[in-house]
Amino acid sequence: MSKKHRRRRITAGQRCLIMLTAVLSVALALTCAYKALVHPPQQGSGPAAVSAAVSEVPPEEQDADQLALAAKAAHSARKADFYTVLISGVDDGNGGSDTNILVAVDAGAGQIYGVNIPRDTKIKVNGKNHKFNAAYNIGGMDQVAATLSQQLGIPVDYTVEVSLKAFSALVDAIGGVDFYVPIDMNYDDPIQNLSIHFNAGMQHLSGAQALKVVRFRHNNDGTGYGSEDIGRMKTQQDFLKAVAKQTLRPANLAKVSEFSKIFQMYVKTDLEVGELAWLGQEAFTVGADNIDFSTLPGEWKSPYIYLNADEVLNIVNEHLNPYVENRVLEDLGILT
């Protein structure tokens, strides 16, 4: 007679080992999938790649053209993990992009810096003079980016076109924002169906209220900031910092899916989903205290703002320049 095969009984220890192995396998798979999805944006492979290729040629074998090419490439060698992103608000009722902020993400140094471009900055497109906010009407975000890149002498790596509805929805998603309104605001425009009334001081603003505060330029009686757009940009910068501080709290990590839906509805960008996720991850790591803003300095001479080239160059090299070497005045294309 053959012996009956006994079924091996799995011990509690073996069960734990199997469960642990399964959990680790799933975790490993999720980690691999996450790493495959989330990745830093591309920086391009122009001058930096040329520099690397030329450097492989022994100096004694490099001719004059190669040396000149190497010098030009070295002048344009990129810093690691440094990206420039142009964010434009385009839903203000006139079709232009009245709010334009170039954001430099320096992940290597753990800093994020945004600079406002005054809407009345003098530009030239197709041989004609315009205000900066007209660039969007002329050629969309590509024209806005090309115009800004030409003026600042640095590339705009990516663009983000934001409907102001996204701004309002984000503020509501984080439960509103506590913000110090800098001045009394009293403005009514029946044509736009716009009514703005706030007292100066600390306010808890909903999305709709926040949109009114950042759009405000002056009161009906002409009082207000004194320098309408410069004052408005300062308020926008302060408000964006307040939003960043509240959005980048660990508790809001649970709202990532909600933020994603808002983004999909109201934002157009040439960044991929994985690149956006990487930038968002870096923003959480950097934290709101390491996010700063300023405005490109210039002087109003009707009908334009003329940028101060020396002061702009300082801002570019200190905060916005993605290249290893500093820019010089000849790199800038600021109109006089």
Side-chain angles (χ1 to χ4, degrees), residues 35-58:
K35 289 184 175 180
L37 174 66
V38 179
H39 59 89
Q42 296 290 323
Q43 284 187 323
S45 56
V50 173
S51 177
V54 172
S55 67
E56 294 179 1
V57 179

Side-chain angles (χ1 to χ4, degrees), residues 52-120:
V54 172
S55 67
E56 294 179 1
V57 179
E60 63 273 10
E61 297 179 17
Q62 293 178 358
D63 58 26
D65 289 339
Q66 286 178 317
L67 290 173
L69 188 61
K72 181 179 180 180
H75 188 57
S76 302
R78 295 279 304 235
K79 300 172 185 174
D81 293 334
F82 193 115
Y83 307 93
T84 56
V85 182
L86 174 62
I87 302 175
S88 297
V90 298
D91 189 13
D92 62 356
N94 65 16
S97 60
D98 273 4
T99 300
N100 298 280
I101 303 174
L102 182 65
V103 178
V105 180
D106 187 352
Q111 295 179 334
I112 296 176
Y113 193 88
V115 63
N116 278 81
I117 299 88
R119 65 193 290 272
D120 293 334

Side-chain angles (χ1 to χ4, degrees), residues 245-264:
K245 189 171 184 178
Q246 187 156 330
T247 303
L248 298 178
R249 292 174 178 171
N252 280 325
L253 284 171
K255 297 180 179 180
V256 169
S257 61
E258 187 174 355
F259 297 157
S260 177
K261 290 177 182 177
I262 293 171
F263 200 93
Q264 290 172 357

